[in-house]
Amino acid sequence: LLFSHAPSREWTNKWFVPGDATRNCEVAEALLTHTQATTSATTLPVVHVSDDRQRGATFGERFVNALADGFAEGYDHLIVVGNDCPELGAVDFAAVAQTLHAGRPVVGPTPKGGAYLIGLSRTHFSAEALRALPYQTTAFFNALQTHLVQHVGHAPVVLAPRDDLNSRADLRRFLRQRAPAGVAAWLVAHLRFLLRARNREHRLRERRLAHQHLAHPLSGRGPPLRRR
């Protein structure tokens, strides 16, 4: 289950390229394309729940309703991912599915206390309890683990931590390191191009402004003239 905003809305929540709405949206589009390609490469059916299929006033409500709708469609197990984890290709989705079939939930943590993957079975699902979790906070992962221990009876299988991208700082930090396993080369190259292009335009604009010699509008004087 791919739970995400459309790029046209994602960029309004996450400023990957501050001050440049066009390139910000292009970064969101690249991440979504990467996620769609990654999930499509598995042997599992993929359900994409974008803005037009989400219901609820808060993130938690929309997320829990997406799970409820997935189980209502007849799926007994759901592996939920977002569109902001560039390392998603390193996940062994077949192994995650086998773990769910064996009765264990699966979670993939991020370094900031979030989760890039949540695997739940129908028997693990409690809408009321899940809706009360502190979504989009650094306390989410620990709260999710506690919830699963209390409602499932044992701790979930925890995958390797992986970064997600939520800001310009996250994007720049990711691009400074060597691309880890599971990250498509085209994604890294495209993100670097978008960031370089933005930086180049910013430097050119600053250079143009530095060469403009304008008088103060209230001074009554013209711009300085060069003596011959």
Side-chain angles (χ1 to χ4, degrees):
L1 194 155
L2 172 52
F3 182 81
S4 74
H5 286 313
S8 58
R9 180 176 175 184
E10 181 77 350
W11 73 264
T12 63
N13 299 322
K14 300 177 181 180
W15 277 104
F16 301 110
V17 188
D20 192 331
T22 299
R23 287 211 163 81
N24 209 48
C25 188
E26 288 174 345
V27 170
E29 287 176 344
L31 291 172
L32 178 58
T33 299
H34 170 66
T35 305
Q36 289 174 320
T38 300
T39 54
S40 296
T42 71
T43 59
L44 305 173
V46 179
V47 178
H48 187 185
V49 182
S50 191
D51 302 90
D52 58 337
R53 297 187 59 183
Q54 294 178 14
R55 299 179 293 106
T58 66
F59 180 91
E61 289 177 355
R62 294 191 295 272
F63 179 78
V64 173
N65 286 336
L67 288 170
D69 291 345
F71 290 127
E73 290 180 21
Y75 293 102
D76 293 319
H77 313 282
L78 294 173
I79 302 172
V80 188
V81 298
N83 66 333
D84 53 7
C85 178
E87 303 174 56
L88 202 60
V91 175
D92 187 343
F93 284 95
V96 173
Q98 290 176 358
T99 302
L100 287 174
H101 281 279
R104 297 282 300 277
V106 183
V107 291
T110 69
K112 296 180 181 178
Y116 65 87
L117 181 149
I118 300 174
L120 298 175
S121 298
R122 186 187 299 273
T123 55
H124 306 153
F125 181 66
S126 171
E128 183 177 357
L130 284 172
R131 199 177 292 116
L133 295 179
Y135 293 92
Q136 299 178 301
T137 72
T138 57
F140 174 74
F141 181 76
N142 288 336
L144 176 61
Q145 277 193 302
T146 300
H147 158 74
L148 292 174
V149 170
Q150 293 175 347
H151 286 80
V152 180
H154 50 250
V157 173
V158 180
L159 304 179
R162 303 193 187 282
D163 289 316
D164 58 358
L165 304 183
N166 294 299
S167 67
R168 176 184 175 84
D170 290 343
L171 178 60
R172 296 186 69 174
R173 184 166 52 251
F174 167 70
L175 293 178
R176 279 198 300 265
Q177 65 185 0
R178 294 184 61 181
V183 179
W186 72 263
L187 175 65
V188 175
H190 188 55
L191 292 177
R192 284 176 175 162
F193 167 77
L194 292 174
L195 201 58
R196 281 198 305 268
R198 168 58 183 169
N199 290 338
R200 185 165 56 249
E201 288 181 1
H202 182 69
R203 287 194 298 270
L204 289 173
R205 183 163 56 251
E206 286 187 335
R207 192 174 301 132
R208 286 195 297 267
L209 289 174
H211 284 83
Q212 290 178 355
H213 301 287
L214 300 178
H216 191 281
L218 299 181
S219 70
R221 298 165 56 187
L225 299 176
R226 178 182 300 175
R227 293 180 179 272
R228 294 186 178 181

